[in-house]
């Protein structure tokens, strides 16, 4: 198992799509706050400090997570089905459950690295331009580690969902298209259905699709953090088990 995970991490480091995604997200993370800086300077508005920018725009990182998971699932995993690599791997004699788990770990690691680029790069850039500033009143020093930790956890949950559907479709184009639509629309669809079907209200309230937008909240009640932690953990476990089940039964051509 250890060697399988090492092999996946090695492939990830050499994967061109992963490296290109890293470069694109770095450039966007530099450009996004710079545009606000120029706009505020032109309009005579006060500039964001690093802490203000992180607090206000950390929710935007949700789009980076969804986009990167969908793209990486298509290029890093699904492409191996079409090129025949997955067939060779599956016929290597290793247990398919271990193969899928190793692939999921490597894939999740890549998505998690990408998910940290926007908050870290934008925070560093804005802090260099306008200073770090101050965190919102009443927010402790653990706010930034908490936001980054939850970012990693929710990215892993989205990666588990992405890997599951990649095992179902096994084609890059279908995987990327479906995941982009699924991730972008699921929050809106579940929210709309919850208004008419009461049993779905709790499902929506404690789903990663809704809670992803709340990981940057500066103030939380006592029950908020456990819910924010349990929802992605359960998503990872359920999606991972379903993914193993699908991969074990799948006929790989």
């Amino acid at each position: 198992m250890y060697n399988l995970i090492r092999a996946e991490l090695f492939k990830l480091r050499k994967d061109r799509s992963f490296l290109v995604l890293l470069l694109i997200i770095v450039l966007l993370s530099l450009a996004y706050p710079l545009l606000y800086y120029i706009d505020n300077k032109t309009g005579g508005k006060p500039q964001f400090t690093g802490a203000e920018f992180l607090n206000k725009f950390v929710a935007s990182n949700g789009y980076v997570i969804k986009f990167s998971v969908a793209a990486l699932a298509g290029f890093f995993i699904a492409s191996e089905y079409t090129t025949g690599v997955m067939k060779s791997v599956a016929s290597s004699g290793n247990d398919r459950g271990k193969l899928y788990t190793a692939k999921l770990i490597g894939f999740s690691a890549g998505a998690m690295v990408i998910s940290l680029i926007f908050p870290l790069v934008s925070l560093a850039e804005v802090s260099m331009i306008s200073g770090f500033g101050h965190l919102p009143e009443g927010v402790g020093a653990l706010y930034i580690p908490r936001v980054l930790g939850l970012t990693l956890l929710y990215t892993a949950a989205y990666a588990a969902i992405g890997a599951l559907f990649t095992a179902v479709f096994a084609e890059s184009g279908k995987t990327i298209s479906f995941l982009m639509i699924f991730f972008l629309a699921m929050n809106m669809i579940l929210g709309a259905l919850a208004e008419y079907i009461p049993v779905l209200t709790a499902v929506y309230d404690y789903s990663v699709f809704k809670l992803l937008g709340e990981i940057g909240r500066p103030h939380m009640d006592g029950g908020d953090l456990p819910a924010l932690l349990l929802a992605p953990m359960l998503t990872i476990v359920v999606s991972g088990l379903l993914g193993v089940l699908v991969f074990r039964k799948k006929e790989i051509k």
Side-chain angles (χ1 to χ4, degrees), residues 97-117:
K98 292 181 179 179
L99 289 172
Y100 182 87
T101 303
K103 178 66 72 177
L104 175 59
I105 291 173
F107 169 53
S108 299
M112 290 163 80
V113 169
I114 293 174
S115 74
L116 290 181
I117 291 177

Side-chain angles (χ1 to χ4, degrees), residues 39 46 98 102 114 119 122 135 155 161 165 186 191 252-253:
D39 184 56
K98 292 181 179 179
I114 293 174
S122 62
L135 293 170
T155 303
I161 297 172
F165 285 110
M186 201 59 193
I252 303 176
K253 301 178 180 178

Side-chain angles (χ1 to χ4, degrees), residues 208-220:
V208 293
F209 306 108
K210 180 182 179 182
L211 294 177
L212 176 63
E214 300 184 11
I215 63 177
R217 282 171 49 191
H219 302 287
M220 292 189 180

Side-chain angles (χ1 to χ4, degrees), residues 18-202:
F18 173 63
L19 299 176
V20 170
L21 269 175
L22 281 178
L23 179 61
I24 290 174
I25 303 301
V26 167
L27 293 176
L28 289 176
S29 300
L30 290 170
Y32 195 66
L34 197 58
L35 290 175
Y36 271 96
Y37 175 80
I38 294 172
D39 184 56
N40 287 353
K41 189 171 185 178
T42 305
K45 302 175 186 175
Q47 296 292 349
F48 287 111
T49 63
E52 288 172 340
F53 193 88
L54 178 67
N55 178 243
K56 186 174 179 62
F57 293 101
V58 71
S60 301
N61 196 39
Y63 293 103
V64 175
I65 293 172
K66 294 170 183 176
F67 169 78
S68 59
V69 167
L72 201 58
F75 294 119
F76 181 62
I77 305 178
S79 62
E80 291 194 349
Y81 285 95
T82 53
T83 57
V85 173
M86 192 64 79
K87 183 177 181 179
S88 301
V89 171
S91 59
S92 63
N94 287 300
D95 179 79
R96 282 199 176 192
K98 292 181 179 179
L99 289 172
Y100 182 87
T101 303
K103 178 66 72 177
L104 175 59
I105 291 173
F107 169 53
S108 299
M112 290 163 80
V113 169
I114 293 174
S115 74
L116 290 181
I117 291 177
F118 178 76
L120 291 179
V121 171
S122 62
L123 174 63
E125 183 183 37
V126 178
S127 296
M128 289 175 64
I129 295 174
S130 309
F132 179 77
H134 302 283
L135 293 170
E137 187 176 352
V139 174
L142 291 178
Y143 172 72
I144 293 178
R146 188 193 77 197
V147 169
L148 297 180
L150 288 174
T151 296
L152 292 174
L153 190 58
Y154 276 75
T155 303
Y158 271 77
I161 297 172
L164 168 61
F165 285 110
T166 306
V168 173
F169 293 114
E171 287 185 24
S172 296
K174 288 181 181 178
T175 299
I176 295 172
S177 302
F178 175 83
L179 287 178
M180 288 292 288
I181 296 171
F182 180 79
F183 286 151
L184 292 175
M186 201 59 193
N187 187 38
M188 182 177 62
I189 293 172
L190 266 182
L193 291 176
E195 293 184 3
Y196 299 99
I197 307 174
V199 72
L200 286 180
T201 302

